[in-house]
């Protein structure tokens, strides 16, 4: 089920897109970089942006969406998406350099994946840009083990992965997951599963996450709708880094997002994750996100619901909250955005947590800690924030979009 490579943008269209780049600036970092160099990249990008302030934005000013959603011929230019990333996961190219694989069969056979199924596509060793022939609901029987250099692109169809185990990225790199509904994920049993063509490995019982990113790097999760899974909606664990989670719409779940495996897993000290332009909606408890050890940039997200807290952590993570909109619940006992786990006040006051330019509504408040504006925050800086009053428009398109060929993508 392979098609020829999608043709690239013409010079004329590329020129016009360059004129439409918004004034938002972003830089990329990854585990292969020296984090101390990030500050130099940030300053360089900000200086460059000042020269571009007169450029027009196409639509909302969301730099990801304005990069590709302006194009009514997005279907012919699907791979343009791979150059629209932001934050620490910006360099995730997915299957940009490979062929297009079309999913035509919603069935799933973990042992003998059939050509035309999603599992058959994601286990291939070559780069692939995976799209879907029509609307479908895919109920997986084991975790979907995604290989390196893959894009799962749900645009043009309504795709639900639901009712069984869901997506796992384990010790892989360069993966884009875009435009998928992921919900009602269950724990899977243990057993053998095909993870490469002509190769099977033993898979332990899954946790029931919507998306598990374990020991992986350069991963970008964008414009997905996630809700109601057995464990977390998204977990990033076991030394993963260079991750961006953006433009997602998350609802109806208690423990939303875990970044860092455990308080004893010190390999997560190099973790760098960008959480940007997401809408944290109704029915959420906490963990938006819950962080351990690493460096986390939480920027321009819309928090309209939480039951317990919004952002929490343990094991001295560095958290830079910037340009978010926090709407606290009416419960007077849960107005605080932040929550500190497994530590005394004397200990957590040393952790570097900072709020800069956040909009606090209905009594919301952020408890900062640490040494203030030090170089450590540069390790947690991955892009420049827009003003928080723009957050409703920046996140208006969060979640899986309805994209029809020949038309702009929208809800």
């Amino acid at each position: 089920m392979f098609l020829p490579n999608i043709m690239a943008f013409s010079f004329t269209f590329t020129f016009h897109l360059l004129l439409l780049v918004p004034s938002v600036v972003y830089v990329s970092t990854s585990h292969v970089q020296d984090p101390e160099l990030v500050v130099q990249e940030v300053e360089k990008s900000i200086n460059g942006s000042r020269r571009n302030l007169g450029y027009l934005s196409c639509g909302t000013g969301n730099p990801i969406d304005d990069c590709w959603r302006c194009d009514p011929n997005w279907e012919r230019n699907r791979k343009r998406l791979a150059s629209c990333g932001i934050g620490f996961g910006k360099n995730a190219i997915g299957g940009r350099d490979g062929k297009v694989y079309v999913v035509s069969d919603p069935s799933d056979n973990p042992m003998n994946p059939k050509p035309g199924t999603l599992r058959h596509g994601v286990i291939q060793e070559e780069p692939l840009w995976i799209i879907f022939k029509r609307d479908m609901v895919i109920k997986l029987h084991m975790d979907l083990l995604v290989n390196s250099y893959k894009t799962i692109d749900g645009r043009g169809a309504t795709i639900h992965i639901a009712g069984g185990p869901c997506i796992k990225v384990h010790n892989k790199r360069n993966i884009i997951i875009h435009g998928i509904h992921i919900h009602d994920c269950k724990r899977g049993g243990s057993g053998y599963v095909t993870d490469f063509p002509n190769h099977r490995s033993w898979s332990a019982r899954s946790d029931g996450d919507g998306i598990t990113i374990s020991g992986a790097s350069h991963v970008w999760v964008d414009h997905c709708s996630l809700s109601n899974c057995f464990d977390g909606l998204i977990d990033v664990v076991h030394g993963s880094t260079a991750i961006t989670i953006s433009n997602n719409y998350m609802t109806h779940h208690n423990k939303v997002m875990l970044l860092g495996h455990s308080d004893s897993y010190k390999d997560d000290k190099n973790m760098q994750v960008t959480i940007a332009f997401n809408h944290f909606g109704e029915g959420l408890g906490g963990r938006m996100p819950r962080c351990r050890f690493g460096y986390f940039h939480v920027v321009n997200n819309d928090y309209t619901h939480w039951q317990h807290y919004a952002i929490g952590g343990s094991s001295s993570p560095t958290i830079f909250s910037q340009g978010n909109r926090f709407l606290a619940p009416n419960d007077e006992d849960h107005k605080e955005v932040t929550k500190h786990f497994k530590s005394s006040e004397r200990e957590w006051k040393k952790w570097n947590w900072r709020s800069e330019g956040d909009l606090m509504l209905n009594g919301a408040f952020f408890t900062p800690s640490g040494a203030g504006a030090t170089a450590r925050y540069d390790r947690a800086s991955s892009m420049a924030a827009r003003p928080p009053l723009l957050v409703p428009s920046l996140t208006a398109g969060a979640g899986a979009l309805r994209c029809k060929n020949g038309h702009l993508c929208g809800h």
Side-chain angles (χ1 to χ4, degrees), residues 25-45:
V25 186
Y26 40 86
V27 299
S28 65
T29 66
S30 75
H31 67 301
V32 298
Q33 289 183 278
D34 179 357
E36 297 293 350
L37 298 179
V38 176
V39 62
Q40 300 175 28
E41 297 185 42
V42 173
E43 291 175 349
K44 182 178 178 181
S45 297

Side-chain angles (χ1 to χ4, degrees), residues 289-407:
R290 186 210 194 282
C291 309
R292 293 184 175 109
F293 286 116
Y295 300 89
F296 307 99
H297 196 190
V298 183
V299 53
N300 285 145
N301 300 282
D302 199 4
Y303 291 83
T304 57
H305 299 77
W306 72 78
Q307 295 170 4
H308 306 297
Y309 69 97
I311 299 172
S314 58
S315 300
S316 190
T318 296
I319 300 174
F320 188 12
S321 174
Q322 191 178 31
N324 300 287
R325 189 177 78 139
F326 293 104
L327 176 63
N330 291 327
D331 183 350
E332 292 296 330
D333 294 329
H334 294 98
K335 299 289 189 183
E336 185 174 2
V337 169
T338 48
K339 185 173 179 62
H340 306 84
F341 292 91
K342 298 183 179 180
S343 65
S344 65
E345 183 175 354
R346 182 178 179 180
E347 179 183 351
W348 65 252
K349 279 192 171 181
K350 300 176 184 178
W351 302 351
N352 286 315
W353 292 18
R354 187 171 83 186
S355 169
E356 180 181 280
D358 288 325
L359 178 62
M360 302 293 177
L361 301 173
N362 199 33
F365 66 97
F366 186 108
T367 303
S369 58
T374 68
R376 289 178 61 85
Y377 283 103
D378 297 317
R379 298 188 187 188
S381 298
S382 59
M383 53 181 281
R386 303 293 310 261
L389 288 174
L390 298 180
V391 164
S393 62
L394 295 172
T395 61
L401 297 166
R402 294 180 181 177
C403 295
K404 185 177 181 181
N405 187 27
H407 298 80

